[in-house]
Amino acid sequence: AQKITQTQPGMFVQEKEAVTLDCTYDTSDPSYGLFWYKQPSSGEMIFLIYQGSYDQQNATEGRYSLNFQKARKSANLVISASQLGDSAMYFCAMREPSYSGGGADGLTFGKGTHLIIQP
Amino acid sequence: ETGVTQTPRHLVMGMTNKKSLKCEQHLGHNAMYWYKQSAKKPLELMFVYNFKEQTENNSVPSRFSPECPNSSHLFLHLHTLQPEDSALYLCASSQSSLRLAGYTDTQYFGPGTRLTVL
């Protein structure tokens, strides 16, 4: 079963509109972290926002906010007032704790959403 | 240089060649990672190094050989690759701490090396 599901392969949005990118996750561990990354056509993965499973409030970073609904296992990214430069691939990712020790664990990524902002 | 750098940015190699990818992080982090991004597939974790020790090998074929001489540098040595190994290879680093939970640790990525195997 997929651990991270992004159901929108592609989205077209008008400039200046708000956009919501969907992400659902699957884990049985009470401790986990959720991340969103942006990947422009150049290839670099750019960190946008983080939400911890124990955080009471939704994370916000400038125009980005994360709509965290723990009971639904949902972590949608909201971009307010979209800009042409927001056109890119967006990936939702999760980290679960490593019980093998060390504190460094890989991310599990979704398949991504290709967002295109139209003028 | 700032952040995470990767060289080369593009690499074309034959199946019998031996080449190496280099990653360097300037963030003072303790953990480094290799990921593979193939077309139409999610990013896949390949290797994890924490405090220079390999802590995870995600069932990667032996034709990929990682090396981490110190916490700032990570290499991926390639030999006798297959055309299906053509992909974007991304390096990442994170602070990591033996005292803090790993799931709170943000990973920062380099620009990637686009590899084509002929």
Side-chain angles (χ1 to χ4, degrees):
Chain A
Q2 282 187 342
K3 288 207 168 188
I4 298 288
T5 302
Q6 295 181 252
T7 58
Q8 307 151 309
M11 288 185 71
F12 289 88
V13 174
Q14 287 296 120
E15 190 180 7
K16 300 181 184 176
E17 288 184 352
V19 56
T20 297
L21 304 181
D22 295 340
C23 173
T24 57
Y25 59 92
D26 183 26
T27 180
S28 57
D29 202 300
S31 304
Y32 52 89
L34 297 160
F35 301 80
W36 277 93
Y37 286 86
K38 172 184 178 182
Q39 188 179 39
S41 56
S42 58
E44 183 174 359
M45 297 287 281
I46 302 168
F47 166 69
L48 296 178
I49 196 166
Y50 161 79
Q51 180 86 39
S53 59
Y54 297 110
D55 293 342
Q56 298 291 326
Q57 293 186 319
N58 288 343
T60 59
E61 289 285 351
R63 293 187 301 113
Y64 305 108
S65 60
L66 199 153
N67 184 0
F68 182 45
Q69 299 189 37
K70 195 170 183 177
R72 295 184 178 183
K73 295 188 175 179
S74 166
N76 297 340
L77 177 70
V78 180
I79 306 174
S80 63
S82 57
Q83 303 171 355
L84 296 178
D86 294 332
S87 296
M89 285 292 293
Y90 287 81
F91 292 93
C92 179
M94 178 173 65
R95 288 183 89 179
E96 297 165 285
S98 167
Y99 296 106
S100 60
D105 317 290
L107 287 162
T108 301
F109 282 85
K111 292 183 177 180
T113 295
H114 188 191
L115 176 65
I116 297 173
I117 307 298
Q118 297 175 312
Chain B
E1 292 281 12
T2 58
V4 181
T5 58
Q6 290 186 243
T7 54
R9 294 293 309 276
H10 300 272
L11 178 63
V12 179
M13 59 187 289
M15 290 191 286
T16 58
N17 292 157
K18 290 185 180 181
K19 296 286 185 184
S20 296
L21 310 185
K22 178 183 175 182
C23 175
E24 184 173 359
Q25 59 95 0
H26 308 268
L27 300 169
H29 288 168
N30 298 308
M32 297 188 78
Y33 312 77
W34 280 117
Y35 288 85
K36 175 183 179 182
Q37 187 177 28
S38 306
K40 302 183 190 289
K41 290 179 71 175
L43 275 85
E44 301 170 272
L45 178 69
M46 300 176 73
F47 302 103
V48 179
Y49 277 82
N50 197 25
F51 294 89
K52 298 190 297 180
E53 298 296 321
Q54 186 180 129
T55 57
E56 188 158 350
N57 176 339
N58 198 22
S59 302
V60 180
S62 59
R63 58 186 183 268
F64 295 91
S65 175
E67 179 190 0
C68 188
N70 54 60
S71 292
S72 298
H73 294 86
L74 184 65
F75 295 88
L76 188 62
H77 303 300
L78 316 171
H79 62 98
T80 58
L81 294 191
Q82 305 298 313
E84 59 264 29
D85 297 321
S86 298
L88 180 68
Y89 289 84
L90 289 160
C91 172
S93 71
S94 68
Q95 181 62 49
S96 185
S97 166
L98 297 176
R99 296 181 291 109
L100 297 177
Y103 66 90
T104 65
D105 207 21
T106 297
Q107 292 181 19
Y108 295 91
F109 285 78
T113 295
R114 190 161 296 280
L115 174 67
T116 303
V117 182
L118 301 177

